[in-house]
Amino acid sequence: MADLGFDGKVAIITGAGGGLGKQHALMMAGRGALVVVNDLGGAVDGSGSDKGAAQLVVDEITSAGGEAVANTDSVATVEGGESIVQSALDAFGTVDIVVNNAGILRDKSFHNMTSDLVDPVLDVHLRGAFHVTGPAWKVMREKGYGRIVSTSSAAGIFGNFGQANYGAAKMGLVGFTNVLAVEGAKYDIRANAIAPLALTRMTEDLMGAGFGDKLQPELVSPLVTYLCHESCEATGRVFSVGGGRVAEVFIAECPGYTDTDLTPETLRDNWATVTDRDGYEVPTQLGEETKMFLDALS
Ligand code: NAI
């Protein structure tokens, strides 16, 4: 089968001045996408800025024969998100793809977590996705086409010490993705999320040599690239990806225990049935979960 090309599709990739976002930008531009390389260029904790990071990636793309423009606005504000989308419209006339990738870390155990550690993390990861995807959505809805990939994390999906702020933001992106998939379906807008694992400046202190060496960020980009392609039918899905391994992650619901005279005691006595995972289902939207209630109660 033919390679997956992006001939003329316009992609916004946030936080693409380094790490994972840079690899996504290089891969999609190499396949013909017209790319807005957004990056504020700050430190891992979100402090500072360096307007050169995005331009360096643009230079790399253009010297390889691709097309890209740099944008150095922050995803953390409404104005920043509008300006990022405007960059795509000014340079390329439309937007087809949004990859919400920009991210920062402010880790602390929960009992030490103050609002200066919570708000910036929510602003970049979760609100940032709203700020950029919102104005892009208007264009996508009008044209009847769009692909959105948001970067979640196993830290939120499964939990990780010291990351209540980050985990909440990252799991928020799963809810964001689920709803966008439902609302976008009739406009051919598909939304998915990834939970990556890669050796970048964000993780270099956490990963030992050996394992870390296997987790090159460019091994995450094939999944993002495929999810952004017009031929990919996945929507409302979450995928774990790293080191060349890709696996779907899903939220399931057990058949459960039903008792219309439910008391705390009957619940205690039937707890094994409540938590029995045999025969679980994977609802793809609220209505399918409601049907599980209707079936149990009928
Ligand atoms: P990174 O630190 O190399 O990349 C993040 C980029 O986002 C940086 O270039 C940074 O300048 C940019 N950025 C930060 N705040 C911004 C803002 N307000 N506006 C625009 N750009 C901003 O780290 P990495 O690993 O490439 O992270 C990419 C995404 O993947 C992040 O969302 C991160 O949370 C997520 N992730 C990474 C994992 C890993 O194993 N590397 C694990 C799970 C999630």
Side-chain angles (χ1 to χ4, degrees), residues 43-74:
V44 172
D45 71 357
S47 60
S49 64
D50 172 6
K51 296 197 183 298
Q55 188 57 47
L56 283 175
V57 176
V58 168
D59 293 346
E60 202 172 324
I61 289 170
T62 48
S63 64
E67 275 191 68
V69 293
N71 174 287
T72 58
D73 289 299
S74 172

Side-chain angles (χ1 to χ4, degrees), residues 14-22 24 38-46 50 53 71-77 84 100-105 120 123-125 128 151-155 166 170 173 194-204 207 215 217 220 241:
T14 70
L20 289 165
K22 174 180 174 181
H24 306 337
N38 158 263
D39 207 297
L40 180 65
V44 172
D45 71 357
D50 172 6
N71 174 287
T72 58
D73 289 299
S74 172
V75 301
T77 65
I84 292 165
N100 292 306
N101 167 79
I104 62 169
L105 285 183
D123 286 347
V124 174
H125 294 277
T151 312
S152 182
S153 169
Y166 182 79
K170 290 307 202 184
L173 287 170
I194 64 160
L197 189 60
L199 181 66
T200 66
R201 67 174 194 169
M202 194 181 262
T203 53
E204 62 192 355
M207 287 176 186
L215 299 173
V220 172
V241 52

Side-chain angles (χ1 to χ4, degrees), residues 5-293:
F6 283 83
D7 48 325
K9 287 277 189 291
V10 177
I12 293 171
I13 303 173
T14 70
L20 289 165
K22 174 180 174 181
Q23 297 306 322
H24 306 337
L26 293 176
M27 183 168 277
M28 282 197 244
R31 287 162 177 269
L34 313 174
V35 179
V36 176
V37 177
N38 158 263
D39 207 297
L40 180 65
V44 172
D45 71 357
S47 60
S49 64
D50 172 6
K51 296 197 183 298
Q55 188 57 47
L56 283 175
V57 176
V58 168
D59 293 346
E60 202 172 324
I61 289 170
T62 48
S63 64
E67 275 191 68
V69 293
N71 174 287
T72 58
D73 289 299
S74 172
V75 301
T77 65
V78 172
E79 301 73 32
E82 281 168 355
S83 163
I84 292 165
V85 175
Q86 195 59 48
S87 287
L89 300 180
D90 291 346
F92 305 124
T94 191
V95 56
D96 300 290
I97 294 163
V98 171
V99 179
N100 292 306
N101 167 79
I104 62 169
L105 285 183
R106 294 202 180 180
D107 295 358
K108 265 291 191 258
S109 56
F110 186 56
H111 77 283
N112 288 318
M113 194 159 280
T114 45
S115 60
D116 59 309
L117 302 174
V118 175
D119 294 338
V121 168
L122 293 177
D123 286 347
V124 174
H125 294 277
L126 186 54
R127 294 198 182 89
F130 280 84
H131 298 152
V132 179
T133 314
W137 184 268
K138 288 196 185 102
V139 180
M140 291 175 172
R141 207 168 166 272
E142 262 170 37
K143 69 195 283 183
Y145 184 81
R147 297 287 180 267
I148 297 157
V149 173
S150 298
T151 312
S152 182
S153 169
I157 298 170
F158 300 114
N160 194 31
F161 192 93
Q163 296 197 301
N165 51 358
Y166 182 79
K170 290 307 202 184
M171 201 56 191
L173 287 170
V174 173
F176 176 77
T177 296
N178 286 338
V179 175
L180 264 50
V182 172
E183 293 189 12
K186 70 176 177 186
Y187 302 103
D188 195 12
I189 302 175
R190 296 177 193 162
N192 293 284
I194 64 160
L197 189 60
L199 181 66
T200 66
R201 67 174 194 169
M202 194 181 262
T203 53
E204 62 192 355
D205 293 340
L206 308 169
M207 287 176 186
F211 185 46
D213 293 345
K214 296 193 165 115
L215 299 173
Q216 297 311 312
E218 51 267 39
L219 285 172
V220 172
S221 302
L223 173 65
V224 174
T225 301
Y226 179 50
L227 292 173
C228 289
H229 194 262
E230 59 184 339
S231 68
C232 181
E233 293 184 359
T235 192
R237 304 297 178 103
V238 181
F239 300 92
S240 172
V241 52
R245 172 185 180 266
V246 182
E248 186 176 5
V249 175
F250 54 81
I251 297 175
E253 185 162 320
C254 302
Y257 171 69
T258 305
D259 175 355
T260 50
D261 296 318
L262 194 68
T263 67
E265 291 74 26
T266 55
L267 194 50
R268 175 199 58 202
D269 297 342
N270 290 281
W271 195 247
T273 311
V274 172
T275 58
D276 183 355
R277 296 184 179 186
D278 274 0
Y280 66 74
E281 290 184 40
V282 185
T284 61
Q285 55 178 291
L286 182 141
E288 288 183 20
E289 202 254 2
T290 308
K291 189 172 173 303
M292 292 177 74
F293 276 94

